[in-house]
């Protein structure tokens, strides 16, 4: 089991790179998917960090997960505005 957890850093890295690729897209739907993929990478890195006793890495993943949740929320609001035809920020709190 320990050997599998040692190898978990490689799928975590691949998932992180895929998420960055998606978040950099011009498509709001791909960006939305990217934030969710980033959240999956946060989980993978946290599991690996726990196994490797890398507690600062786990703390970093918690903070990054919070920023990814914020990004997903803000991107979802942008998607809703585009669908409804309203100008971004006209009916929601900006920040």
């Amino acid at each position: 089991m320990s050997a599998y957890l040692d190898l978990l850093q490689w799928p975590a890295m691949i998932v992180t790179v895929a998420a960055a690729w998606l978040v950099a897209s011009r498509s709001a739907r791909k960006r939305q998917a990217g934030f969710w993929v980033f959240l999956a990478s946060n989980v993978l890195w946290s599991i690996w960090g726990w196994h490797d006793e890398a507690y600062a890495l786990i703390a970093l993943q918690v903070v990054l997960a919070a920023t990814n949740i914020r990004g997903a929320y803000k991107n979802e609001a942008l998607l809703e505005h585009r669908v409804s035809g309203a100008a971004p920020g006209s009916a929601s709190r900006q920040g």
Side-chain angles (χ1 to χ4, degrees), residues 15-34:
V15 170
T16 302
V17 170
W21 182 270
L22 289 167
V23 167
S25 175
R26 290 185 181 185
S27 164
R29 294 201 187 286
K30 286 183 182 177
R31 283 194 309 273
Q32 185 70 17

PDB file of all heavy atoms in Angstrom, residues 15-34:
ATOM      1  N   VAL A  15      -3.030  15.449 -12.961  1.00  0.00           N
ATOM      2  CA  VAL A  15      -4.347  16.066 -12.759  1.00  0.00           C
ATOM      3  C   VAL A  15      -4.190  17.575 -12.573  1.00  0.00           C
ATOM      4  O   VAL A  15      -4.977  18.362 -13.115  1.00  0.00           O
ATOM      5  CB  VAL A  15      -5.078  15.411 -11.563  1.00  0.00           C
ATOM      6  CG1 VAL A  15      -6.327  16.177 -11.191  1.00  0.00           C
ATOM      7  CG2 VAL A  15      -5.411  13.964 -11.884  1.00  0.00           C
ATOM      8  N   THR A  16      -3.160  18.011 -11.853  1.00  0.00           N
ATOM      9  CA  THR A  16      -2.922  19.436 -11.643  1.00  0.00           C
ATOM     10  C   THR A  16      -2.617  20.144 -12.959  1.00  0.00           C
ATOM     11  O   THR A  16      -3.146  21.224 -13.234  1.00  0.00           O
ATOM     12  CB  THR A  16      -1.766  19.661 -10.649  1.00  0.00           C
ATOM     13  OG1 THR A  16      -2.087  19.013  -9.416  1.00  0.00           O
ATOM     14  CG2 THR A  16      -1.505  21.132 -10.400  1.00  0.00           C
ATOM     15  N   VAL A  17      -1.789  19.539 -13.790  1.00  0.00           N
ATOM     16  CA  VAL A  17      -1.455  20.130 -15.095  1.00  0.00           C
ATOM     17  C   VAL A  17      -2.703  20.187 -15.979  1.00  0.00           C
ATOM     18  O   VAL A  17      -2.949  21.201 -16.646  1.00  0.00           O
ATOM     19  CB  VAL A  17      -0.311  19.344 -15.775  1.00  0.00           C
ATOM     20  CG1 VAL A  17      -0.117  19.788 -17.213  1.00  0.00           C
ATOM     21  CG2 VAL A  17       0.978  19.519 -14.978  1.00  0.00           C
ATOM     22  N   ALA A  18      -3.499  19.132 -15.978  1.00  0.00           N
ATOM     23  CA  ALA A  18      -4.739  19.130 -16.771  1.00  0.00           C
ATOM     24  C   ALA A  18      -5.681  20.232 -16.291  1.00  0.00           C
ATOM     25  O   ALA A  18      -6.302  20.936 -17.108  1.00  0.00           O
ATOM     26  CB  ALA A  18      -5.420  17.768 -16.680  1.00  0.00           C
ATOM     27  N   ALA A  19      -5.773  20.417 -14.988  1.00  0.00           N
ATOM     28  CA  ALA A  19      -6.636  21.470 -14.436  1.00  0.00           C
ATOM     29  C   ALA A  19      -6.146  22.848 -14.857  1.00  0.00           C
ATOM     30  O   ALA A  19      -6.951  23.710 -15.241  1.00  0.00           O
ATOM     31  CB  ALA A  19      -6.684  21.366 -12.912  1.00  0.00           C
ATOM     32  N   ALA A  20      -4.849  23.069 -14.808  1.00  0.00           N
ATOM     33  CA  ALA A  20      -4.296  24.362 -15.219  1.00  0.00           C
ATOM     34  C   ALA A  20      -4.593  24.625 -16.689  1.00  0.00           C
ATOM     35  O   ALA A  20      -4.927  25.749 -17.079  1.00  0.00           O
ATOM     36  CB  ALA A  20      -2.791  24.393 -14.956  1.00  0.00           C
ATOM     37  N   TRP A  21      -4.502  23.598 -17.509  1.00  0.00           N
ATOM     38  CA  TRP A  21      -4.808  23.717 -18.933  1.00  0.00           C
ATOM     39  C   TRP A  21      -6.273  24.141 -19.121  1.00  0.00           C
ATOM     40  O   TRP A  21      -6.570  25.030 -19.914  1.00  0.00           O
ATOM     41  CB  TRP A  21      -4.535  22.386 -19.627  1.00  0.00           C
ATOM     42  CG  TRP A  21      -4.770  22.427 -21.105  1.00  0.00           C
ATOM     43  CD1 TRP A  21      -5.928  22.155 -21.758  1.00  0.00           C
ATOM     44  CD2 TRP A  21      -3.818  22.773 -22.103  1.00  0.00           C
ATOM     45  NE1 TRP A  21      -5.766  22.298 -23.108  1.00  0.00           N
ATOM     46  CE2 TRP A  21      -4.471  22.676 -23.353  1.00  0.00           C
ATOM     47  CE3 TRP A  21      -2.479  23.133 -22.074  1.00  0.00           C
ATOM     48  CZ2 TRP A  21      -3.829  22.945 -24.547  1.00  0.00           C
ATOM     49  CZ3 TRP A  21      -1.840  23.391 -23.274  1.00  0.00           C
ATOM     50  CH2 TRP A  21      -2.512  23.301 -24.486  1.00  0.00           C
ATOM     51  N   LEU A  22      -7.156  23.503 -18.403  1.00  0.00           N
ATOM     52  CA  LEU A  22      -8.582  23.815 -18.523  1.00  0.00           C
ATOM     53  C   LEU A  22      -8.910  25.218 -18.016  1.00  0.00           C
ATOM     54  O   LEU A  22      -9.682  25.957 -18.633  1.00  0.00           O
ATOM     55  CB  LEU A  22      -9.419  22.775 -17.775  1.00  0.00           C
ATOM     56  CG  LEU A  22      -9.471  21.390 -18.411  1.00  0.00           C
ATOM     57  CD1 LEU A  22     -10.040  20.380 -17.430  1.00  0.00           C
ATOM     58  CD2 LEU A  22     -10.267  21.419 -19.707  1.00  0.00           C
ATOM     59  N   VAL A  23      -8.347  25.604 -16.881  1.00  0.00           N
ATOM     60  CA  VAL A  23      -8.629  26.911 -16.298  1.00  0.00           C
ATOM     61  C   VAL A  23      -8.122  28.035 -17.209  1.00  0.00           C
ATOM     62  O   VAL A  23      -8.693  29.119 -17.233  1.00  0.00           O
ATOM     63  CB  VAL A  23      -8.036  27.017 -14.877  1.00  0.00           C
ATOM     64  CG1 VAL A  23      -8.028  28.434 -14.363  1.00  0.00           C
ATOM     65  CG2 VAL A  23      -8.826  26.136 -13.931  1.00  0.00           C
ATOM     66  N   ALA A  24      -7.101  27.770 -17.987  1.00  0.00           N
ATOM     67  CA  ALA A  24      -6.557  28.780 -18.901  1.00  0.00           C
ATOM     68  C   ALA A  24      -7.376  28.921 -20.183  1.00  0.00           C
ATOM     69  O   ALA A  24      -7.084  29.777 -21.012  1.00  0.00           O
ATOM     70  CB  ALA A  24      -5.113  28.430 -19.253  1.00  0.00           C
ATOM     71  N   SER A  25      -8.413  28.121 -20.337  1.00  0.00           N
ATOM     72  CA  SER A  25      -9.232  28.146 -21.547  1.00  0.00           C
ATOM     73  C   SER A  25     -10.068  29.420 -21.639  1.00  0.00           C
ATOM     74  O   SER A  25     -10.444  30.017 -20.635  1.00  0.00           O
ATOM     75  CB  SER A  25     -10.166  26.930 -21.552  1.00  0.00           C
ATOM     76  OG  SER A  25     -11.050  26.994 -22.653  1.00  0.00           O
ATOM     77  N   ARG A  26     -10.406  29.802 -22.855  1.00  0.00           N
ATOM     78  CA  ARG A  26     -11.331  30.921 -23.071  1.00  0.00           C
ATOM     79  C   ARG A  26     -12.777  30.497 -22.841  1.00  0.00           C
ATOM     80  O   ARG A  26     -13.643  31.324 -22.630  1.00  0.00           O
ATOM     81  CB  ARG A  26     -11.184  31.462 -24.482  1.00  0.00           C
ATOM     82  CG  ARG A  26      -9.885  32.182 -24.692  1.00  0.00           C
ATOM     83  CD  ARG A  26      -9.822  32.794 -26.051  1.00  0.00           C
ATOM     84  NE  ARG A  26      -8.544  33.465 -26.217  1.00  0.00           N
ATOM     85  CZ  ARG A  26      -8.237  34.174 -27.255  1.00  0.00           C
ATOM     86  NH1 ARG A  26      -9.087  34.313 -28.253  1.00  0.00           N
ATOM     87  NH2 ARG A  26      -7.064  34.745 -27.337  1.00  0.00           N
ATOM     88  N   SER A  27     -13.014  29.203 -22.870  1.00  0.00           N
ATOM     89  CA  SER A  27     -14.355  28.677 -22.664  1.00  0.00           C
ATOM     90  C   SER A  27     -14.689  28.650 -21.173  1.00  0.00           C
ATOM     91  O   SER A  27     -13.978  28.038 -20.369  1.00  0.00           O
ATOM     92  CB  SER A  27     -14.448  27.259 -23.230  1.00  0.00           C
ATOM     93  OG  SER A  27     -15.589  26.592 -22.746  1.00  0.00           O
ATOM     94  N   ALA A  28     -15.787  29.297 -20.810  1.00  0.00           N
ATOM     95  CA  ALA A  28     -16.201  29.319 -19.402  1.00  0.00           C
ATOM     96  C   ALA A  28     -16.517  27.907 -18.906  1.00  0.00           C
ATOM     97  O   ALA A  28     -16.262  27.586 -17.747  1.00  0.00           O
ATOM     98  CB  ALA A  28     -17.403  30.236 -19.217  1.00  0.00           C
ATOM     99  N   ARG A  29     -17.061  27.069 -19.763  1.00  0.00           N
ATOM    100  CA  ARG A  29     -17.380  25.691 -19.352  1.00  0.00           C
ATOM    101  C   ARG A  29     -16.108  24.879 -19.079  1.00  0.00           C
ATOM    102  O   ARG A  29     -16.062  24.115 -18.123  1.00  0.00           O
ATOM    103  CB  ARG A  29     -18.240  25.004 -20.406  1.00  0.00           C
ATOM    104  CG  ARG A  29     -19.596  25.648 -20.533  1.00  0.00           C
ATOM    105  CD  ARG A  29     -20.609  24.720 -21.163  1.00  0.00           C
ATOM    106  NE  ARG A  29     -21.863  25.387 -21.446  1.00  0.00           N
ATOM    107  CZ  ARG A  29     -22.775  25.739 -20.555  1.00  0.00           C
ATOM    108  NH1 ARG A  29     -22.561  25.494 -19.290  1.00  0.00           N
ATOM    109  NH2 ARG A  29     -23.888  26.341 -20.907  1.00  0.00           N
ATOM    110  N   LYS A  30     -15.085  25.071 -19.899  1.00  0.00           N
ATOM    111  CA  LYS A  30     -13.811  24.378 -19.646  1.00  0.00           C
ATOM    112  C   LYS A  30     -13.161  24.908 -18.376  1.00  0.00           C
ATOM    113  O   LYS A  30     -12.585  24.138 -17.602  1.00  0.00           O
ATOM    114  CB  LYS A  30     -12.868  24.537 -20.837  1.00  0.00           C
ATOM    115  CG  LYS A  30     -13.261  23.698 -22.029  1.00  0.00           C
ATOM    116  CD  LYS A  30     -12.261  23.845 -23.153  1.00  0.00           C
ATOM    117  CE  LYS A  30     -12.691  23.035 -24.358  1.00  0.00           C
ATOM    118  NZ  LYS A  30     -11.765  23.212 -25.485  1.00  0.00           N
ATOM    119  N   ARG A  31     -13.250  26.228 -18.164  1.00  0.00           N
ATOM    120  CA  ARG A  31     -12.710  26.785 -16.914  1.00  0.00           C
ATOM    121  C   ARG A  31     -13.434  26.200 -15.712  1.00  0.00           C
ATOM    122  O   ARG A  31     -12.807  25.848 -14.712  1.00  0.00           O
ATOM    123  CB  ARG A  31     -12.823  28.314 -16.902  1.00  0.00           C
ATOM    124  CG  ARG A  31     -11.789  29.016 -17.733  1.00  0.00           C
ATOM    125  CD  ARG A  31     -11.721  30.504 -17.422  1.00  0.00           C
ATOM    126  NE  ARG A  31     -13.022  31.163 -17.466  1.00  0.00           N
ATOM    127  CZ  ARG A  31     -13.578  31.679 -18.555  1.00  0.00           C
ATOM    128  NH1 ARG A  31     -12.955  31.597 -19.711  1.00  0.00           N
ATOM    129  NH2 ARG A  31     -14.752  32.282 -18.484  1.00  0.00           N
ATOM    130  N   GLN A  32     -14.753  26.089 -15.815  1.00  0.00           N
ATOM    131  CA  GLN A  32     -15.540  25.516 -14.715  1.00  0.00           C
ATOM    132  C   GLN A  32     -15.064  24.093 -14.427  1.00  0.00           C
ATOM    133  O   GLN A  32     -14.857  23.725 -13.273  1.00  0.00           O
ATOM    134  CB  GLN A  32     -17.034  25.532 -15.060  1.00  0.00           C
ATOM    135  CG  GLN A  32     -17.925  25.085 -13.943  1.00  0.00           C
ATOM    136  CD  GLN A  32     -17.981  26.072 -12.789  1.00  0.00           C
ATOM    137  OE1 GLN A  32     -17.599  27.234 -12.922  1.00  0.00           O
ATOM    138  NE2 GLN A  32     -18.436  25.617 -11.662  1.00  0.00           N
ATOM    139  N   ALA A  33     -14.894  23.304 -15.479  1.00  0.00           N
ATOM    140  CA  ALA A  33     -14.395  21.940 -15.303  1.00  0.00           C
ATOM    141  C   ALA A  33     -13.006  21.958 -14.677  1.00  0.00           C
ATOM    142  O   ALA A  33     -12.686  21.133 -13.810  1.00  0.00           O
ATOM    143  CB  ALA A  33     -14.366  21.212 -16.644  1.00  0.00           C
ATOM    144  N   GLY A  34     -12.184  22.916 -15.087  1.00  0.00           N
ATOM    145  CA  GLY A  34     -10.828  23.024 -14.549  1.00  0.00           C
ATOM    146  C   GLY A  34     -10.795  23.241 -13.052  1.00  0.00           C
ATOM    147  O   GLY A  34      -9.960  22.659 -12.349  1.00  0.00           O
TER     148      GLY A  34
END
